[in-house]
Amino acid sequence: MDLQLYDTYTRSQRPFVPIHPGEVGLYTCGPTVYDYAHIGNLRTYLFEDGLKRVLKWNGYRVHHVMNITDVGHLVSDADTGDDKMEEGVRRTGKTAWEIAALYTEAFRTDLKALNIEEPEIWCRATDHISEQIAFVADLEAKGFTYRTSDGIYFDTSKLADYGYLGRLDTAGQEAGIRVELGEKRHPTDFALWKFSPANERRQMEWDSPWGRGFPGWHIECSAMAQKYLGELFDIHCGGEDHIKVHHTNEIAQTEARCGTRLANYWLHGYFLQLNQAKMAKSAGGFLRVQTLLDQGYDPLAYRYLCLTAHYRTQLNFTWDALDAAVTACERLRLATFKLGVAGDPDPGLVQRFTAEINDDLNFPRALALTWEVLKSELPDALKKGTLLKFDEALGLGLATWTPREEDVPAEVRALAEARWAAKKAKDFAAADRLRGDIQAAGWEVEDQSGGFKLKPGR
């Protein structure tokens, strides 16, 4: 089955056809580095990692670009409130540059813990101010901007199809205005360049043709995506919250400047919910990867949990659900490890697996097939080779996993301790009997100087 992806722009599942044969330009909206990422944020990056792995599975060379937003993202998507980085300065007492470095590195640590592949290109907003200024200048020259006392704004009324991605009712918004717009001409207009307050010295501000200030959030991604991937590339991804504002505005800017919708396919991952509500930093007490580690969880168990739900469905997080994922992930790892040396994968099963992941990244069904293979009567070498091939897309690290001492069940360890005591007491009959009990439980005991080592049986 050829790869099919659900395109938010058309609201349809479409066959994936790259612009350039054999290659894919992929842009994924990266973090705003004013705080740690929570596991809800990271569900989006897990979905995008799955997409990238599936593209590679299908033989494509992926040119992956991800931004780091270290300026310009205001507290409100409606261009009100302060810059999130300046908010972080007040919260931590660090400089904006220190905050950006700290949380960028923390984000990359989280990606590694979840076995998420890094992009080929990281691009920081603050490294691309000139590209953003040039973009705004082009929009101004084409008549799409106007000036207010606090910045340069994009006039959304100049685009007949503004808001198509989000299916926005712009006419209804105009008719239903109940709040003061200030100097904005229309409720959907958005800032391209914000002026620094006259009575406030900001840590991140630059000179521009319109005055000293900083870029708006939306212009950053449009400018950087175009620089590295061109005026029209294959796939742009983000969270479902990006559909109605951020990605809608990225498209508007690019249509106005270049006449394209920036990306040929727009894919969006849905929220992780906690107690049936969106997980958000503003709510306080959000869960991080470090939270999972502090509670004794392997982060890849969270990856497994995310694989059990389709990326276009919301997933409710509970500790019970994570515990179930831990159990399943450990069983899968241990059973795969005990299969011994891997042979070649089964072509028919690989074809079935491909059909599942190529059906708009249907990892829940792919995971079900993984368990079907594990429980089958296939020869061990064929079974293991097939499972390791599947894991190129699943990303659970099956090829490199080995049991740790703490993975040994308590009852098996107790048998081994009793056997060691019997051996020291020269009760060799009891020691042999206990070795048999250990083997019956699926483990082997290996005597070493001053003790013993347990490992899964073959």
Side-chain angles (χ1 to χ4, degrees), residues 365-411:
R365 288 209 305 258
L367 200 57
L369 177 59
T370 301
W371 282 103
E372 180 183 325
V373 171
L374 187 63
K375 297 174 182 177
S376 72
E377 298 300 321
L378 288 172
D380 286 356
L382 182 63
K383 188 184 296 187
K384 184 163 185 175
T386 302
L387 293 172
L388 294 186
K389 178 63 178 176
F390 288 4
D391 197 48
E392 292 176 15
L394 299 174
L396 295 171
L398 298 182
T400 58
W401 183 86
T402 56
R404 300 166 299 179
E405 282 296 306
E406 54 265 37
D407 293 317
V408 178
E411 59 273 20

Side-chain angles (χ1 to χ4, degrees), residues 103 140 196 203 225 276 322:
Y103 294 125
E140 182 180 51
S196 298
Q203 294 193 20
Q276 304 299 325
L322 184 60

Side-chain angles (χ1 to χ4, degrees), residues 80-293:
T80 60
D82 204 354
D83 185 300
K84 289 188 175 184
M85 297 301 296
E86 297 288 337
E87 182 186 73
V89 168
R90 290 191 292 272
R91 187 185 72 250
T92 65
K94 300 179 183 293
T95 70
W97 305 99
E98 290 171 337
I99 290 169
L102 170 67
Y103 294 125
T104 297
E105 188 56 35
F107 177 71
R108 296 180 72 171
T109 299
D110 289 344
L111 296 189
K112 184 176 181 180
L114 291 167
N115 199 23
I116 295 173
E117 296 181 5
E118 290 199 5
E120 285 66 41
I121 295 176
W122 291 99
C123 48
R124 291 196 302 260
T126 53
D127 289 338
H128 298 81
I129 298 299
S130 61
E131 288 87 353
Q132 295 168 67
I133 289 174
F135 203 126
V136 177
D138 282 354
L139 294 177
E140 182 180 51
K142 292 175 180 288
F144 284 94
T145 71
Y146 62 90
R147 184 185 187 109
T148 71
S149 61
D150 76 339
I152 305 299
Y153 280 77
F154 186 93
D155 188 341
T156 56
S157 71
K158 298 292 182 71
L159 284 177
D161 62 347
Y162 174 79
Y164 183 77
L165 178 74
R167 303 302 192 266
L168 303 183
D169 178 13
T170 54
Q173 289 186 44
E174 294 278 4
I177 293 173
R178 294 291 184 269
V179 296
E180 179 59 49
L181 281 178
E183 299 174 70
K184 286 173 62 171
R185 295 176 181 174
H186 314 96
T188 53
D189 293 353
F190 55 92
L192 299 166
W193 186 264
K194 295 282 283 186
F195 300 139
S196 298
N199 59 349
E200 179 183 331
R201 186 68 179 177
R202 294 172 48 87
Q203 294 193 20
M204 289 184 164
E205 56 182 6
W206 295 264
D207 290 327
S208 79
W210 313 281
R212 192 159 180 82
F214 58 96
W217 175 34
H218 315 303
I219 200 70
E220 298 173 4
C221 285
S222 294
M224 292 188 290
Q226 185 175 330
K227 174 175 180 176
Y228 293 106
L229 296 172
E231 295 179 359
L232 180 67
F233 55 89
D234 294 293
I235 305 173
H236 196 313
C237 295
E240 63 173 306
D241 53 331
H242 289 159
I243 296 172
K244 293 185 180 297
V245 180
H246 184 45
H247 288 172
T248 284
N249 292 342
E250 282 191 64
I251 290 171
Q253 294 163 157
T254 310
E255 284 184 336
R257 189 191 197 193
C258 308
T260 75
R261 66 178 189 234
L262 189 60
N264 199 15
Y265 297 79
W266 290 81
L267 274 64
H268 295 91
Y270 278 52
F271 289 144
L272 181 76
Q273 296 192 315
L274 182 63
N275 299 321
Q276 304 299 325
K278 173 193 171 186
M279 188 176 294
K281 295 183 178 72
S282 58
F286 59 88
L287 300 177
R288 298 170 44 206
V289 168
Q290 188 60 50
T291 311
L292 304 185
L293 289 167

